[in-house]
Amino acid sequence: MGSNSASATAGKPIRCQAAVCRKAGEPLIIEEIEVAPPTSWEVRIKILCTSLCHSDVTFWKLSAGPVSAFPRILGHEAAGVVESVGENVEEVKEGDIVIPVFQRNCGECRDCKCPKGNICSKFPEDFYCGMPRDGSSRFKDKNGEKLYHTLCVSSFTEYTVVDVTHVVKMNPDFPIDKASLLSCGVSTGLGAAWRVADIEEGSTVAIFGLGAVGLAVVQGAKLRGAAKIIGVDLNPEKFEIGKKFGLTDFINPTTCGEKSTSQGTGKTVIIGIEMHGTPLSINPYELAAGKTITGSMFGGVKAKVDIPLFANQYLNNELNLEGYITHEVNFEDINKAFDLLEAGKTLRCIIWMGK
């Protein structure tokens, strides 16, 4: 499956293997699906490798709500090669190495042109379960039934279709597994340190949670010249891991009491979304003292602008990407990646499609 040449498949449906999630929380099932050809503004990608992010686990477990839809194809961290493109696609072509990203970046709308923020307003709303321009699906199972998308990417399949606003072209010499990391988690952490927090040289930074994203914040803080980088995590083993990325100190959150950011210049950055919509409770006197709290999506990263910069940092030996890859599995063993992440035993598990 998935071995046909592009010349034989362009403009035609492709039958390939995908890991389908048919019910919340249940193991994914490797089965044959049909992937439609790309329509206008779309790119069909042959996925070479993908990786598992905590957001995938959240969607996997989500049994109710507007973004819960089954059966679906999960996955949004990946790297692959362009198999074919639809009309009006000019920035990538067949054979290009690309990464899909869940946060679109059209480069044309007022928000994309603004130096602040990264929320693209190209389309009126996000479709978490379908294609972003019309909400429809490009996937069918072997019985012809619709399969839902996830975060406009759906990378747990040999082929996927992505809107061009969700595609970043990569240097063809860039390592494929490292490219996958830049499609979400690592870029989110680096961007949060650089774009959102705008960490200043000589500052003190505390990072709560030392998973892959948190460690990327650590590395971003180091690159920005932070003098003291404190990791806050329940697992003391994360201190030794964090040192490899620039961590200087470690605190167990059960021992740090009610201490908060400093008055006048203290800044708190929330990375990502609490999927259940739990409200935050903030003492207004904290804000009156000059402290700020801000949210961010994808670390404030403008994908088509910032990811090439991160890639160059890696190629110039300024960025450690190897340290995030703790496990690798073949596609047929994708459920092992879920087990490892659920057990807290992995940072990023690379899932190889063709090995």
Side-chain angles (χ1 to χ4, degrees), residues 40-77:
S40 283
W41 310 107
E42 294 177 358
V43 179
R44 189 159 60 184
I45 303 170
K46 179 180 181 180
I47 299 296
L48 300 178
C49 73
T50 183
S51 46
L52 180 64
C53 173
H54 275 285
S55 296
D56 295 312
V57 175
T58 298
F59 279 92
W60 173 56
K61 293 180 176 180
L62 209 58
S63 59
V67 297
S68 173
F70 299 95
R72 77 189 311 165
I73 298 176
L74 298 164
H76 66 282
E77 277 193 359

Side-chain angles (χ1 to χ4, degrees), residues 240-301:
E240 291 303 315
I241 297 171
K243 286 179 181 179
K244 301 175 184 178
F245 297 94
L247 203 65
T248 63
D249 298 85
F250 181 85
I251 295 176
N252 186 308
T254 61
T255 65
C256 64
E258 298 297 323
K259 293 182 179 179
S260 184
T261 54
S262 60
Q263 294 189 21
T265 59
K267 180 184 291 185
T268 298
V269 176
I270 299 175
I271 303 175
I273 298 174
E274 201 286 314
M275 292 299 291
H276 300 288
T278 304
L280 291 175
S281 178
I282 303 171
N283 186 332
Y285 290 103
E286 297 277 348
L287 300 180
K291 302 179 184 181
T292 61
I293 182 169
T294 184
S296 66
M297 181 68 76
F298 196 30
V301 165

Side-chain angles (χ1 to χ4, degrees), residues 8 11 32 69 111 115-116 184 323:
E32 184 179 272
D111 293 297
K116 298 180 180 180
C184 182

Side-chain angles (χ1 to χ4, degrees), residues 18-20 33 71-75 139 147-150 154-157:
V20 178
I33 69 164
R72 77 189 311 165
I73 298 176
L74 298 164
F139 303 125
L147 299 170
Y148 290 95
H149 293 243
T150 301
S154 294
S155 60
F156 292 168
T157 170

